[in-house]
Amino acid sequence: MAESVTIARPYAEAAFRAAKEAGALNAWNGNLQCLALAAEDRQVVEIIGNPCITVDQLVDFFTSLVKESGEDVVFRNFVRTLAENERLALMPEIAALFAAEKSAAEGIREATLTSAFPLSEGDLKTLLPELEAHFKTKLAPVVNVDADLIGGVRVTVGDQVLDASVRGKLDAMTIALRN
């Protein structure tokens, strides 16, 4: 895994620069996410590894999967570069690295919200502005459910953790009582 991310990183960085220059970060991000899903499909993996399939056929196939790539010559050339260098299988890693770089450029950080119960859209709309003020950045929430928290929420942004869960408070009380 680490090796594939290392190989994918220069491609993701090149894609990010090309998309930024073209002012098409959102379009490229959507296209790369779509191709990443396709590249994980077993039948597509067989197509990628088939020596009878030419580079042109691979490029046509992959660009046909996304709606706007036919008009974007730079995106098509990017897919061609991946095909020529036999890197199409790295599309999931490239898409993930591209998305992370896009978020960083937009000043958005991923926040993992772990709650004892599922959070509704209303809960997120109420909670997110408070968390953004606390962490002083725009957040993209990823919600997980962990019944072991008993109640409340634990928020992780990068290496910062805000634990407002019942489990966290019980653990803090246990530590305080032992000291």
Side-chain angles (χ1 to χ4, degrees):
M1 176 66 183
E3 183 179 310
S4 62
V5 171
T6 302
I7 295 168
R9 183 168 280 110
Y11 292 100
E13 290 171 354
F16 181 79
R17 284 192 306 273
K20 190 173 181 180
E21 287 174 12
L25 284 174
N26 289 332
W28 274 62
N29 188 49
N31 289 346
L32 290 173
Q33 297 303 321
C34 178
L35 295 184
L37 286 173
E40 291 175 330
D41 183 81
R42 185 180 54 78
Q43 292 176 325
V44 175
V45 169
E46 290 176 13
I47 291 170
I48 293 171
N50 187 337
C52 297
I53 306 287
T54 67
V55 168
D56 288 333
Q57 290 172 322
L58 283 171
V59 171
D60 289 343
F61 173 72
F62 271 87
T63 56
S64 73
L65 297 175
V66 292
K67 48 187 161 182
E68 297 176 15
S69 69
E71 301 165 12
D72 189 344
V73 175
V74 178
F75 186 80
R76 186 174 178 83
N77 287 340
F78 175 73
V79 173
R80 174 173 298 285
T81 300
L82 293 175
E84 288 172 348
N85 293 302
E86 298 178 357
R87 300 294 191 221
L88 286 170
L90 293 175
M91 194 59 76
E93 289 87 355
I94 292 169
L97 290 166
F98 181 95
E101 197 160 343
K102 177 183 176 289
S103 292
E106 294 171 343
I108 300 172
R109 297 186 64 196
E110 184 176 290
T112 303
L113 283 71
T114 306
S115 174
F117 305 100
L119 295 174
S120 69
E121 287 297 318
D123 294 335
L124 276 175
K125 285 182 181 179
T126 302
L127 188 58
L128 207 53
E130 293 176 27
L131 293 173
E132 288 174 344
H134 176 81
F135 289 104
K136 297 179 176 86
T137 187
K138 187 143 178 67
L139 300 174
V142 175
V143 180
N144 298 319
V145 176
D146 181 2
D148 290 341
L149 294 181
I150 303 171
V153 67
R154 182 176 53 232
V155 182
T156 306
V157 177
D159 61 352
Q160 296 178 316
V161 177
L162 174 64
D163 194 347
S165 68
V166 173
R167 171 61 52 209
K169 290 178 184 188
L170 289 172
D171 290 345
M173 283 204 256
T174 302
I175 292 169
L177 289 171
R178 287 185 183 155
N179 291 333

